[in-house]
Amino acid sequence: MASIDIAPGAGTGAHPPGPIQRVTLLASLGWFAAVAILLFWQDLTFQPLVRELALVWGAVGGVLVVLGLGGNRLGRVGRWTAQRAPWLLAIGIGAAIWTVLTAKTGILPQPFFPTPQAMLEVFIYDWPKILHSTSFSVWLLAKGFFFGAVAGFLIGVGMGWSRAVSYWATPLLRYVGPLPATAWLPLAFFIFPSSGSASVFLIAFSTAFPVAVLTWSGIASVNRDYYEIARTLGASPLFLILRVAVPAALPHVFVGLFMGLSTSFAVLVVAEMLGVEAGLGWYLQWAQGWAAYANMYAALFVMAAMCSGLITLLFRIRDRVLVWQKGVVRW
Amino acid sequence: MVAQALKIIPQQAGSAINIEAVSHRFDLEGAPLPVLDDIGFDIEPGSFVALLGPSGCGKSTLLRLIAGLDHPAQGHIRVAGAEVADPDPSRILVFQDPTLFPWRTVRANVALGLEAQGTLKSEGHRVDEAIRLVGLSGFDKAYPHQLSGGMAQRVALARALVNRPNVLLLDEPLGKLDSLTRLAMQTELTRLWQQSGLTAVLVTHDVEEALYLAQRVIVFGPRPARIVADLAVDLPYPRHRGDPRLAELRHEALGHLGLDSSW
Ligand SMILES: Nc1ncnc2c1ncn2[C@@H]1O[C@H](COP(=O)(O)OP(=O)(O)OP(=O)(O)O)[C@@H](O)[C@H]1O
Ligand SMILES: [Mg+2]
């Protein structure tokens, strides 16, 4: 088992406990190189905010110098940089290459591939709109995901526990569940009073299906002995559901939640593009209408951050709730 | 240490068990599989009885019937005079496998019975006593996967004892332990039983274990199980494993199991 363990920092130039992190210093050189290219290589066409961008990248390089020199003495921060130094270097070099390919040589044609300066411009001048769109999207997603997760969980528990519920719900789930939630979109926008509530429904729908199926299979696969032991110890049926069946099924439930969250992203973006007049999906659409390519990339960038942030959050919650699984299974 | 901890456990009355003409069968692929055939015996309150028999003869089935997890096809089982209908915390079955709840700590596992009965708030101190009793103080926050097999089995025992059952049904509880732990646990079991006064019914494959622990050993024949012998082990506790009387009884028990030629 130890042989397949990936040691933290393996292949990342993890340092013996010397004070200076050489890779981190190298990363700062990468960023300074990007700054040099930005400032001393003539742009093909006029670019805004060259100095400001140079300042930002220079600051990153400066921080990396400090971190590299402080190195392992910085405790947690030091360990963090030590582990990610190769990535920090790669991103710096990436920034330099991006600048060369777009602003300096035009190998990637404008305006389809915006320059880094143009991206900075978007964030500086359009951040209120982006921020508002992001918070709108997160809120919409949160509502839909919450209702969908709760509904799916209850359906799954009901199906796993009661024959009657299972009898009626299984065919429905089999028949309707696999339908992509987006197929409901035209109808939902008619039936619901507002496009917002329609989107909440669609997101909830797409989340509920995998959560229900996995909760159900989780409860169905609980070891029978757990129930018998609990019953001899005086457990009531409610206790058996809440304290035996549900905790035993939780690892499955979380798999369902992960699947539900991933599909709900797709539904969210489509719903925002087609009906809701706000959110990152709508912002993307709007930017496309104006052929504002830099804004589209910015929206994609923020959207990726949002999705991965939410997935990470769900991972954190799972790690909290399922501590007992550590050591039972390999994470 | 164990003896000291035991003082905290108050005496509890063991219940009498009456098994009257019990027969039981299972359905195996549509064909009936008779497992118990007209079994009848009575167990004195507070006594220690071992059930011995070949594998698959129906010993576990009988324990499950006494626990109330299954209902006999024919016959009656009464505990403390009342017909057994459902599982009840006054009769607790300890499985061969400890089957701890992996998402609960040792403490929460032991507390489960009180929690289920709604008495955890008022009777919480019993949890710590039970954990101390089986010698696992300091492990209350550990999760089951952090325990050794013997420790897990002791937690299962504590989980049963915390309810102060009148009847303790043990289905090969020591079967999976290494021989050293097994010997130590056997001694602990007798002490626990002596101090608490409960009625203990132990299923085992191990003839020596049955004779060392129990006051009475009931020997079953192959399936469908029928009683082939009922041996009284007339030795005081604490017993000595080298006792010549135990050797005699062992010879006799093996004879009833059809294995005396190997002795
Ligand atoms: N739920 C069940 N359905 C069908 N047959 C069963 C069931 N439980 C037990 N049996 C059968 O009943 C017989 C007795 O089983 P039991 O578990 O009581 O044996 P046992 O005496 O405890 O054996 P061992 O000493 O190996 O544990 C076995 O032949 C088994 O196949
Ligand atoms: Mg058995």
Side-chain angles (χ1 to χ4, degrees), chain B residues 59-64 92-97 153 168-175 201-205 209:
Chain B
K59 306 177 297 290
S60 299
T61 306
L62 184 58
L63 279 200
R64 290 175 58 84
I92 294 199
L93 176 55
V94 178
F95 288 56
Q96 169 167 9
D97 217 47
Q153 197 52 265
L168 187 60
L169 306 164
L170 302 158
D171 193 353
E172 301 182 46
L174 312 182
V201 183
L202 171 81
V203 162
T204 177
H205 278 132
E209 181 172 283

mmCIF file of all heavy atoms in Angstrom, chain B residues 59-64 92-97 153 168-175 201-205 209:
data_model
loop_
_atom_site.group_PDB
_atom_site.id
_atom_site.type_symbol
_atom_site.label_atom_id
_atom_site.label_comp_id
_atom_site.label_asym_id
_atom_site.label_seq_id
_atom_site.Cartn_x
_atom_site.Cartn_y
_atom_site.Cartn_z
ATOM 1 N N LYS B 59 -27.604 -24.052 15.992
ATOM 2 C CA LYS B 59 -27.372 -23.381 17.275
ATOM 3 C C LYS B 59 -27.664 -21.888 17.185
ATOM 4 O O LYS B 59 -28.351 -21.315 18.030
ATOM 5 C CB LYS B 59 -25.914 -23.593 17.730
ATOM 6 C CG LYS B 59 -25.491 -25.033 17.785
ATOM 7 C CD LYS B 59 -24.046 -25.189 18.172
ATOM 8 C CE LYS B 59 -23.057 -24.582 17.207
ATOM 9 N NZ LYS B 59 -22.936 -25.282 15.924
ATOM 10 N N SER B 60 -27.135 -21.264 16.129
ATOM 11 C CA SER B 60 -27.387 -19.825 15.968
ATOM 12 C C SER B 60 -28.878 -19.569 15.798
ATOM 13 O O SER B 60 -29.416 -18.582 16.333
ATOM 14 C CB SER B 60 -26.641 -19.286 14.757
ATOM 15 O OG SER B 60 -25.261 -19.455 14.926
ATOM 16 N N THR B 61 -29.525 -20.454 15.066
ATOM 17 C CA THR B 61 -30.965 -20.308 14.856
ATOM 18 C C THR B 61 -31.695 -20.301 16.191
ATOM 19 O O THR B 61 -32.571 -19.462 16.430
ATOM 20 C CB THR B 61 -31.478 -21.462 13.977
ATOM 21 O OG1 THR B 61 -30.697 -21.502 12.783
ATOM 22 C CG2 THR B 61 -32.933 -21.287 13.633
ATOM 23 N N LEU B 62 -31.312 -21.208 17.074
ATOM 24 C CA LEU B 62 -31.971 -21.265 18.377
ATOM 25 C C LEU B 62 -31.753 -19.971 19.157
ATOM 26 O O LEU B 62 -32.691 -19.435 19.762
ATOM 27 C CB LEU B 62 -31.436 -22.476 19.166
ATOM 28 C CG LEU B 62 -32.090 -22.733 20.512
ATOM 29 C CD1 LEU B 62 -33.583 -22.948 20.350
ATOM 30 C CD2 LEU B 62 -31.458 -23.933 21.209
ATOM 31 N N LEU B 63 -30.539 -19.444 19.118
ATOM 32 C CA LEU B 63 -30.274 -18.184 19.828
ATOM 33 C C LEU B 63 -31.109 -17.048 19.260
ATOM 34 O O LEU B 63 -31.629 -16.212 19.994
ATOM 35 C CB LEU B 63 -28.792 -17.808 19.730
ATOM 36 C CG LEU B 63 -27.808 -18.479 20.669
ATOM 37 C CD1 LEU B 63 -26.536 -17.644 20.774
ATOM 38 C CD2 LEU B 63 -28.391 -18.682 22.050
ATOM 39 N N ARG B 64 -31.217 -17.018 17.931
ATOM 40 C CA ARG B 64 -32.031 -15.964 17.311
ATOM 41 C C ARG B 64 -33.493 -16.076 17.740
ATOM 42 O O ARG B 64 -34.178 -15.064 17.900
ATOM 43 C CB ARG B 64 -31.926 -16.038 15.784
ATOM 44 C CG ARG B 64 -30.558 -15.624 15.250
ATOM 45 C CD ARG B 64 -30.485 -15.849 13.750
ATOM 46 N NE ARG B 64 -31.522 -15.125 13.051
ATOM 47 C CZ ARG B 64 -31.419 -13.847 12.695
ATOM 48 N NH1 ARG B 64 -30.312 -13.199 12.930
ATOM 49 N NH2 ARG B 64 -32.409 -13.242 12.085
ATOM 50 N N ILE B 92 -30.090 -9.928 25.195
ATOM 51 C CA ILE B 92 -29.224 -9.388 24.155
ATOM 52 C C ILE B 92 -28.351 -10.463 23.551
ATOM 53 O O ILE B 92 -27.786 -11.298 24.239
ATOM 54 C CB ILE B 92 -28.411 -8.204 24.703
ATOM 55 C CG1 ILE B 92 -29.435 -7.110 25.004
ATOM 56 C CG2 ILE B 92 -27.385 -7.742 23.691
ATOM 57 C CD1 ILE B 92 -28.886 -5.770 25.122
ATOM 58 N N LEU B 93 -28.300 -10.405 22.222
ATOM 59 C CA LEU B 93 -27.527 -11.376 21.459
ATOM 60 C C LEU B 93 -26.215 -10.734 21.027
ATOM 61 O O LEU B 93 -26.218 -9.662 20.418
ATOM 62 C CB LEU B 93 -28.357 -11.800 20.239
ATOM 63 C CG LEU B 93 -27.738 -12.743 19.226
ATOM 64 C CD1 LEU B 93 -27.253 -14.011 19.878
ATOM 65 C CD2 LEU B 93 -28.749 -13.069 18.138
ATOM 66 N N VAL B 94 -25.097 -11.352 21.376
ATOM 67 C CA VAL B 94 -23.798 -10.897 20.882
ATOM 68 C C VAL B 94 -23.401 -11.818 19.742
ATOM 69 O O VAL B 94 -23.266 -13.013 19.932
ATOM 70 C CB VAL B 94 -22.740 -10.916 21.996
ATOM 71 C CG1 VAL B 94 -21.384 -10.474 21.451
ATOM 72 C CG2 VAL B 94 -23.159 -10.007 23.140
ATOM 73 N N PHE B 95 -23.247 -11.229 18.544
ATOM 74 C CA PHE B 95 -22.967 -12.024 17.351
ATOM 75 C C PHE B 95 -21.522 -12.505 17.341
ATOM 76 O O PHE B 95 -20.663 -11.971 18.018
ATOM 77 C CB PHE B 95 -23.209 -11.181 16.093
ATOM 78 C CG PHE B 95 -24.643 -10.897 15.788
ATOM 79 C CD1 PHE B 95 -25.460 -10.294 16.727
ATOM 80 C CD2 PHE B 95 -25.170 -11.197 14.551
ATOM 81 C CE1 PHE B 95 -26.788 -10.015 16.449
ATOM 82 C CE2 PHE B 95 -26.502 -10.915 14.256
ATOM 83 C CZ PHE B 95 -27.302 -10.331 15.205
ATOM 84 N N GLN B 96 -21.296 -13.512 16.504
ATOM 85 C CA GLN B 96 -19.937 -14.015 16.334
ATOM 86 C C GLN B 96 -19.005 -12.917 15.827
ATOM 87 O O GLN B 96 -17.880 -12.792 16.248
ATOM 88 C CB GLN B 96 -19.965 -15.181 15.347
ATOM 89 C CG GLN B 96 -18.591 -15.604 14.885
ATOM 90 C CD GLN B 96 -18.608 -16.937 14.178
ATOM 91 O OE1 GLN B 96 -19.660 -17.476 13.879
ATOM 92 N NE2 GLN B 96 -17.439 -17.473 13.925
ATOM 93 N N ASP B 97 -19.522 -12.120 14.898
ATOM 94 C CA ASP B 97 -18.802 -10.973 14.375
ATOM 95 C C ASP B 97 -19.160 -9.791 15.261
ATOM 96 O O ASP B 97 -20.339 -9.607 15.540
ATOM 97 C CB ASP B 97 -19.327 -10.725 12.954
ATOM 98 C CG ASP B 97 -18.232 -10.275 12.035
ATOM 99 O OD1 ASP B 97 -17.186 -10.912 12.060
ATOM 100 O OD2 ASP B 97 -18.442 -9.298 11.320
ATOM 101 N N GLN B 153 -14.414 -7.082 19.855
ATOM 102 C CA GLN B 153 -15.326 -8.035 20.474
ATOM 103 C C GLN B 153 -15.683 -7.591 21.893
ATOM 104 O O GLN B 153 -16.813 -7.753 22.342
ATOM 105 C CB GLN B 153 -14.669 -9.420 20.476
ATOM 106 C CG GLN B 153 -15.614 -10.571 20.702
ATOM 107 C CD GLN B 153 -16.816 -10.558 19.781
ATOM 108 O OE1 GLN B 153 -17.883 -10.057 20.127
ATOM 109 N NE2 GLN B 153 -16.660 -11.087 18.581
ATOM 110 N N LEU B 168 -28.080 -13.009 28.522
ATOM 111 C CA LEU B 168 -27.036 -12.666 27.566
ATOM 112 C C LEU B 168 -26.826 -13.875 26.662
ATOM 113 O O LEU B 168 -26.475 -14.962 27.125
ATOM 114 C CB LEU B 168 -25.747 -12.321 28.316
ATOM 115 C CG LEU B 168 -24.590 -11.780 27.477
ATOM 116 C CD1 LEU B 168 -24.994 -10.499 26.769
ATOM 117 C CD2 LEU B 168 -23.371 -11.529 28.349
ATOM 118 N N LEU B 169 -27.084 -13.675 25.364
ATOM 119 C CA LEU B 169 -26.954 -14.764 24.399
ATOM 120 C C LEU B 169 -25.663 -14.543 23.621
ATOM 121 O O LEU B 169 -25.502 -13.513 22.967
ATOM 122 C CB LEU B 169 -28.158 -14.763 23.454
ATOM 123 C CG LEU B 169 -29.515 -14.810 24.162
ATOM 124 C CD1 LEU B 169 -30.635 -14.421 23.206
ATOM 125 C CD2 LEU B 169 -29.764 -16.188 24.743
ATOM 126 N N LEU B 170 -24.749 -15.491 23.718
ATOM 127 C CA LEU B 170 -23.435 -15.306 23.109
ATOM 128 C C LEU B 170 -23.249 -16.316 21.988
ATOM 129 O O LEU B 170 -23.211 -17.517 22.227
ATOM 130 C CB LEU B 170 -22.349 -15.496 24.169
ATOM 131 C CG LEU B 170 -22.446 -14.561 25.382
ATOM 132 C CD1 LEU B 170 -21.708 -15.140 26.570
ATOM 133 C CD2 LEU B 170 -21.911 -13.188 25.033
ATOM 134 N N ASP B 171 -23.161 -15.829 20.751
ATOM 135 C CA ASP B 171 -23.009 -16.729 19.611
ATOM 136 C C ASP B 171 -21.543 -16.764 19.187
ATOM 137 O O ASP B 171 -21.098 -15.930 18.411
ATOM 138 C CB ASP B 171 -23.890 -16.252 18.449
ATOM 139 C CG ASP B 171 -24.008 -17.311 17.362
ATOM 140 O OD1 ASP B 171 -23.307 -18.331 17.462
ATOM 141 O OD2 ASP B 171 -24.794 -17.110 16.425
ATOM 142 N N GLU B 172 -20.822 -17.714 19.700
ATOM 143 C CA GLU B 172 -19.386 -17.846 19.423
ATOM 144 C C GLU B 172 -18.676 -16.503 19.499
ATOM 145 O O GLU B 172 -18.010 -16.091 18.552
ATOM 146 C CB GLU B 172 -19.161 -18.441 18.031
ATOM 147 C CG GLU B 172 -19.785 -19.802 17.869
ATOM 148 C CD GLU B 172 -19.497 -20.376 16.491
ATOM 149 O OE1 GLU B 172 -18.346 -20.300 16.081
ATOM 150 O OE2 GLU B 172 -20.434 -20.875 15.854
ATOM 151 N N PRO B 173 -18.813 -15.818 20.617
ATOM 152 C CA PRO B 173 -18.263 -14.458 20.667
ATOM 153 C C PRO B 173 -16.747 -14.452 20.637
ATOM 154 O O PRO B 173 -16.138 -13.435 20.350
ATOM 155 C CB PRO B 173 -18.779 -13.910 21.996
ATOM 156 C CG PRO B 173 -18.957 -15.122 22.850
ATOM 157 C CD PRO B 173 -19.353 -16.231 21.915
ATOM 158 N N LEU B 174 -16.119 -15.569 20.945
ATOM 159 C CA LEU B 174 -14.670 -15.591 20.994
ATOM 160 C C LEU B 174 -14.079 -16.349 19.812
ATOM 161 O O LEU B 174 -12.877 -16.557 19.733
ATOM 162 C CB LEU B 174 -14.194 -16.238 22.303
ATOM 163 C CG LEU B 174 -14.873 -15.713 23.574
ATOM 164 C CD1 LEU B 174 -14.293 -16.394 24.801
ATOM 165 C CD2 LEU B 174 -14.709 -14.210 23.698
ATOM 166 N N GLY B 175 -14.957 -16.735 18.887
ATOM 167 C CA GLY B 175 -14.524 -17.599 17.793
ATOM 168 C C GLY B 175 -13.387 -17.039 16.967
ATOM 169 O O GLY B 175 -12.554 -17.787 16.482
ATOM 170 N N VAL B 201 -26.196 -17.760 27.917
ATOM 171 C CA VAL B 201 -26.283 -18.903 27.011
ATOM 172 C C VAL B 201 -25.204 -18.717 25.962
ATOM 173 O O VAL B 201 -25.197 -17.717 25.237
ATOM 174 C CB VAL B 201 -27.665 -18.995 26.331
ATOM 175 C CG1 VAL B 201 -27.727 -20.226 25.455
ATOM 176 C CG2 VAL B 201 -28.770 -19.009 27.364
ATOM 177 N N LEU B 202 -24.269 -19.644 25.907
ATOM 178 C CA LEU B 202 -23.118 -19.511 25.033
ATOM 179 C C LEU B 202 -23.132 -20.605 23.972
ATOM 180 O O LEU B 202 -23.227 -21.786 24.288
ATOM 181 C CB LEU B 202 -21.832 -19.616 25.864
ATOM 182 C CG LEU B 202 -20.518 -19.722 25.096
ATOM 183 C CD1 LEU B 202 -20.061 -18.354 24.642
ATOM 184 C CD2 LEU B 202 -19.448 -20.378 25.949
ATOM 185 N N VAL B 203 -23.060 -20.191 22.717
ATOM 186 C CA VAL B 203 -22.903 -21.162 21.636
ATOM 187 C C VAL B 203 -21.432 -21.235 21.297
ATOM 188 O O VAL B 203 -20.772 -20.201 21.171
ATOM 189 C CB VAL B 203 -23.710 -20.730 20.396
ATOM 190 C CG1 VAL B 203 -23.212 -21.466 19.164
ATOM 191 C CG2 VAL B 203 -25.178 -20.993 20.615
ATOM 192 N N THR B 204 -20.900 -22.426 21.193
ATOM 193 C CA THR B 204 -19.486 -22.540 20.846
ATOM 194 C C THR B 204 -19.213 -23.848 20.131
ATOM 195 O O THR B 204 -19.966 -24.814 20.228
ATOM 196 C CB THR B 204 -18.595 -22.413 22.099
ATOM 197 O OG1 THR B 204 -17.246 -22.606 21.715
ATOM 198 C CG2 THR B 204 -18.967 -23.423 23.164
ATOM 199 N N HIS B 205 -18.111 -23.839 19.376
ATOM 200 C CA HIS B 205 -17.631 -25.057 18.735
ATOM 201 C C HIS B 205 -16.623 -25.762 19.616
ATOM 202 O O HIS B 205 -16.241 -26.884 19.365
ATOM 203 C CB HIS B 205 -16.872 -24.709 17.449
ATOM 204 C CG HIS B 205 -17.757 -24.473 16.289
ATOM 205 N ND1 HIS B 205 -17.623 -23.387 15.474
ATOM 206 C CD2 HIS B 205 -18.794 -25.181 15.812
ATOM 207 C CE1 HIS B 205 -18.533 -23.443 14.539
ATOM 208 N NE2 HIS B 205 -19.264 -24.515 14.717
ATOM 209 N N GLU B 209 -13.825 -24.828 25.798
ATOM 210 C CA GLU B 209 -14.401 -23.546 26.193
ATOM 211 C C GLU B 209 -15.743 -23.758 26.883
ATOM 212 O O GLU B 209 -16.019 -23.183 27.939
ATOM 213 C CB GLU B 209 -14.572 -22.662 24.958
ATOM 214 C CG GLU B 209 -15.145 -21.297 25.239
ATOM 215 C CD GLU B 209 -15.091 -20.412 24.002
ATOM 216 O OE1 GLU B 209 -14.000 -19.922 23.701
ATOM 217 O OE2 GLU B 209 -16.143 -20.219 23.354
#
